[in-house]
């Protein structure tokens, strides 16, 4: 939890693999490969929901491909080390570039005088909003607090520091303020092949309010937040965290606590998913996943 945000988590994992690759001592290419795979699996086990973590690792592990049969089986440890470092570095640069490209596309939907709503702290969504502000548009933002960890506080600090007119609201005020909202921008931890979006708990309620009020609802998600596993039928695991995030259980004898930290917004509530390649309908998620599969399918974790 010290590293938050699906994109940041992916970049931090790639960076960790890169650092590991620099330090690992291995007698043979096979030993190096196994050590890197073990490290990647260790990193993957840290968070279950955001697929950006897995995809960031897979992008980085492409650096081991030079060892695959028929593709330079003679690669030595130093060649693999360089390959890993370069692949992880490429992913980090690609990820940062994707967030910037996405901001460029999404901000075009924001008109001068518009009011936006967001939830949690998404660097992709914040990027879209701040780009519109930097372009000289006069905008306002309602930011949901996002219980229980209150990451909305990070968002309001970031937006206020950028000079944006921002109002912090409690999550249950989303419907009230939706009446004064023109567009909603949220981030994503995982987008399924069917176009449904897994994001911080409360997102689907905001989507429902937006639908009812006819306010366009946009999801900001780089391509590495799309899940290949969901194409094969897998469900996204929703992380359930400890009750202490909500209240002290010892103060409530006999009470059970439920603390799922992500929820699923159905595709039918989403106007468009903003990716680095442009705005796509949620139904376009299938094509993004197919492209990702072509790119990453021969890399295993
Ligand atoms: P960016 C966060 O969850 C939020 O759900 C946010 O919308 C999403 O990641 C995407 O964040 P967590 O991973 O990549 O911090 O847009 O639990 O920053």
């Amino acid at each position: 939890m010290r590293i938050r945000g699906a994109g940041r988590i992916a970049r931090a994992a790639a960076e960790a693999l890169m650092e590991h690759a620099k330090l690992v001592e291995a007698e043979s290419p096979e030993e190096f490969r196994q050590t890197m795979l073990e490290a990647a699996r260790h990193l993957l086990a840290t968070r279950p929901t955001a697929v950006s973590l897995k995809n960031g690792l897979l992008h980085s592990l492409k650096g081991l491909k030079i060892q695959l049969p028929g593709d330079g089986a003679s690669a030595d440890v130093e060649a693999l080390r360089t390959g890993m470092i370069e692949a992880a570095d490429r992913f980090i640069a690609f990820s940062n570039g994707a967030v910037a490209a996405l901001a460029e596309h999404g901000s075009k939907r924001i008109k001068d005088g518009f009011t936006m709503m967001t939830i949690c702290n998404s660097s992709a969504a914040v990027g879209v909003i701040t780009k519109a502000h930097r372009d000289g548009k006069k905008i306002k933002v309602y930011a949901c607090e996002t219980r229980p960890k209150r990451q909305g506080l990070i968002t309001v600090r970031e937006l206020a520091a950028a000079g944006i007119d921002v109002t912090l609201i409690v999550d249950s005020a989303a419907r009230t303020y939706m009446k004064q909202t023109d567009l909603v921008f949220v981030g994503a931890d995982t987008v399924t092949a069917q176009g449904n979006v897994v994001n911080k708990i409360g997102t689907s309620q905001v989507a429902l309010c937006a639908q009812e009020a006819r306010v366009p609802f946009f999801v900001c998600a780089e391509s590495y937040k799309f899940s290949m596993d969901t194409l094969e039928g897998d469900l996204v695991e929703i992380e359930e965290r400890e009750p202490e995030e909500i209240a002290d259980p010892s103060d409530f004898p006999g009470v059970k606590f439920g603390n799922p930290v992500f929820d699923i917004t159905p595709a039918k509530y989403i106007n468009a998913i903003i990716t680095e390649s442009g705005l796509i309908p949620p139904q376009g998620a299938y094509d993004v996943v197919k492209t990702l599969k072509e790119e990453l399918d021969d890399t295993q974790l």
Side-chain angles (χ1 to χ4, degrees):
M1 280 301 288
R2 262 184 284 156
I3 299 168
R4 282 170 282 95
R8 282 192 205 99
I9 288 169
R11 289 189 293 275
E15 211 171 300
L17 268 193
M18 184 160 59
E19 290 309 312
H20 197 55
K22 284 180 191 165
L23 300 173
V24 155
E25 284 174 22
E27 300 278 309
S28 66
E30 190 46 35
E31 192 188 332
F32 181 85
R33 186 171 178 273
Q34 281 312 321
T35 311
M36 292 313 300
L37 281 173
E38 266 167 43
R41 289 183 192 127
H42 188 68
L43 288 163
L44 183 62
T46 56
R47 298 292 296 271
T49 302
V51 76
S52 51
L53 173 58
K54 183 174 182 182
N55 287 338
L57 291 168
L58 288 175
H59 271 288
S60 307
L61 289 173
K62 278 170 82 175
L64 294 178
K65 264 182 70 183
I66 48 170
Q67 193 194 10
L68 293 181
D71 195 9
S74 59
D76 62 15
V77 170
E78 288 319 307
L80 287 181
R81 194 188 307 280
T82 308
M84 269 303 307
I85 294 167
E86 285 177 357
D89 211 30
R90 258 197 310 277
F91 172 73
I92 294 166
F94 161 65
S95 169
N96 285 321
V99 176
L102 183 162
E104 185 85 33
H105 303 315
S107 65
K108 291 185 194 160
R109 288 298 173 104
I110 302 176
K111 292 187 182 151
D112 193 34
F114 265 16
T115 298
M116 270 65 64
M117 187 178 288
T118 190
I119 184 166
C120 197
N121 180 245
S122 157
S123 48
V126 166
V128 168
I129 293 167
T130 47
K131 173 76 176 84
H133 173 74
R134 281 203 310 276
D135 287 345
K137 297 172 192 168
K138 200 166 157 32
I139 55 172
K140 285 187 195 166
V141 178
Y142 291 120
C144 296
E145 178 192 19
T146 322
R147 280 280 290 156
K149 291 291 274 187
R150 308 178 82 202
Q151 294 96 329
L153 301 187
I154 307 170
T155 298
V156 292
R157 280 202 191 98
E158 286 175 356
L159 294 177
I164 295 171
D165 178 342
V166 59
T167 305
L168 180 67
I169 62 171
V170 295
D171 301 325
S172 40
R175 188 167 186 271
T176 298
Y177 285 98
M178 195 59 78
K179 293 174 198 142
Q180 300 155 45
T181 298
D182 297 294
L183 301 174
V184 178
F185 290 97
V186 302
D189 289 83
T190 294
V191 181
T192 73
Q194 298 75 29
N196 305 313
V197 168
V198 181
N199 195 50
K200 190 52 47 67
I201 193 79
T203 302
S204 66
Q205 287 176 13
V206 174
L208 205 55
C209 296
Q211 173 87 1
E212 191 250 356
R214 303 283 183 271
V215 174
F217 183 91
F218 293 104
V219 173
C220 309
E222 309 89 285
S223 55
Y224 53 87
K225 290 177 181 165
F226 288 67
S227 163
M228 296 185 281
D229 296 337
T230 57
L231 186 62
E232 282 144 28
D234 287 356
L235 293 170
V236 178
E237 184 186 338
I238 303 293
E239 185 176 354
E240 176 89 26
R241 282 209 295 260
E242 56 279 6
E244 284 77 6
E245 286 190 355
I246 304 177
D248 184 348
S250 66
D251 290 340
F252 299 91
V255 175
K256 293 183 218 152
F257 288 79
N259 190 21
V261 291
F262 301 98
D263 67 17
I264 303 164
T265 299
K268 64 179 176 183
Y269 297 143
I270 299 165
N271 288 71
I273 302 176
I274 309 169
T275 74
E276 68 272 22
S277 311
L279 276 70
I280 61 164
Q283 294 74 15
Y286 174 72
D287 290 327
V288 179
V289 170
K290 290 261 286 186
T291 308
L292 206 56
K293 267 180 96 64
E294 279 161 22
E295 226 178 318
L296 296 176
D297 225 17
D298 56 354
T299 314
Q300 303 298 328
L301 227 179

